[in-house]
């Protein structure tokens, strides 16, 4: 059996609240830096994501959390795919793809019009994954992150 077949995706619970911060800080320190907006959201994900109508999901493998992704509510018709990170020890197993496919299904279930995300052009593997799953580049506009140099959207209708 392939490792990816053993990955399960579970929703946010208080028991796992620190995992989103731990995984994202590891990823950010590896590729960029932790910005003020990261610190704000990751310091209290329940307050800044869940309580605002958003969702957080975790990927479990071998009895540990190895990845995470969030849907942050922008408005009643759009959510931002954000805070996606996979532990460096588990890169290359397809966990990011599984998380992405899960949030797309969740977004379809809540019947939103579009998903959006901010990324960076140096993250070629991530951008390839987003294009494969129907995201297209749109004008960047204003963003809360210095590292963001590309905005992508996926129509959900």
């Amino acid at each position: 059996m392939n490792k990816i077949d053993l990955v399960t995706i579970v929703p946010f619970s208080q028991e796992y609240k620190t995992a989103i911060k731990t995984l994202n800080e590891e990823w950010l320190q590896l590729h960029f830096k932790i910005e003020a907006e990261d610190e704000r959201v990751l310091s209290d994900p329940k307050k800044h994501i869940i309580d605002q109508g958003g969702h957080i999901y975790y990927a479990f493998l071998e009895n540990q959390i190895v990845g995470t992704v969030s849907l942050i509510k922008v408005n009643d018709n759009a959510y931002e795919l954000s805070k996606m990170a996979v532990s460096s020890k588990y890169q290359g197993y397809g966990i990011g793809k599984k998380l992405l496919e899960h949030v797309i299904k969740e977004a379809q279930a809540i019947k939103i019009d579009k998903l959006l995300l901010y990324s960076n052009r140096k993250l070629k593997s991530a951008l390839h994954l987003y294009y494969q799953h129907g995201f297209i580049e749109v004008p960047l506009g204003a963003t809360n992150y210095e590292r963001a140099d590309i905005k992508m959207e996926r129509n959900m209708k």
Side-chain angles (χ1 to χ4, degrees):
M1 183 179 292
N2 196 333
K3 272 197 191 250
I4 193 64
D5 298 329
L6 302 174
V7 172
T8 57
I9 310 292
V10 299
F12 176 84
S13 75
Q14 279 296 114
E15 179 183 1
Y16 309 128
K17 72 177 184 174
T18 59
I20 185 174
K21 184 172 187 172
T22 303
L23 287 163
N24 273 275
E25 284 180 346
E26 174 195 356
W27 184 87
L28 287 164
Q29 289 168 341
L30 185 64
H31 297 284
F32 301 101
K33 67 178 185 177
I34 299 170
E35 298 182 31
E37 182 67 4
D38 298 311
E39 187 56 43
R40 184 185 75 81
V41 174
L42 296 172
S43 67
D44 193 346
K46 183 176 182 312
K47 176 182 176 183
H48 296 292
I49 299 174
I50 302 294
D51 293 349
Q52 304 304 313
H55 307 270
I56 299 170
Y57 302 97
Y58 301 108
F60 267 87
L61 177 65
E62 300 170 346
N63 295 319
Q64 61 183 320
I65 297 172
V66 298
T68 186
V69 66
S70 301
L71 288 174
I72 298 176
K73 187 173 184 177
V74 176
N75 58 46
D76 288 341
N77 299 314
Y79 280 71
E80 178 185 348
L81 188 155
S82 187
K83 305 300 177 214
M84 187 156 101
V86 174
S87 169
S88 59
K89 293 179 230 162
Y90 292 91
Q91 296 280 320
Y93 291 114
I95 295 167
K97 178 180 178 186
K98 191 162 187 166
L99 284 164
L100 178 60
E101 290 171 352
H102 182 81
V103 294
I104 289 171
K105 285 180 188 163
E106 292 295 318
Q108 290 168 331
I110 57 177
K111 298 183 179 359
I112 63 168
D113 293 338
K114 72 178 165 184
L115 272 179
L116 60 100
L117 63 87
Y118 296 91
S119 191
N120 186 286
R121 294 178 192 283
K122 82 176 196 178
L123 302 171
K124 304 233 183 278
S125 294
L127 296 179
H128 180 72
L129 185 63
Y130 300 142
Y131 283 121
Q132 281 183 322
H133 286 81
F135 285 85
I136 59 167
E137 184 176 352
V138 296
L140 181 61
T143 173
N144 293 332
Y145 299 101
E146 290 175 32
R147 67 181 170 270
D149 66 1
I150 184 171
K151 180 180 179 182
M152 301 179 85
E153 290 183 356
R154 183 183 193 274
N155 189 332
M156 300 301 293
K157 293 230 167 200

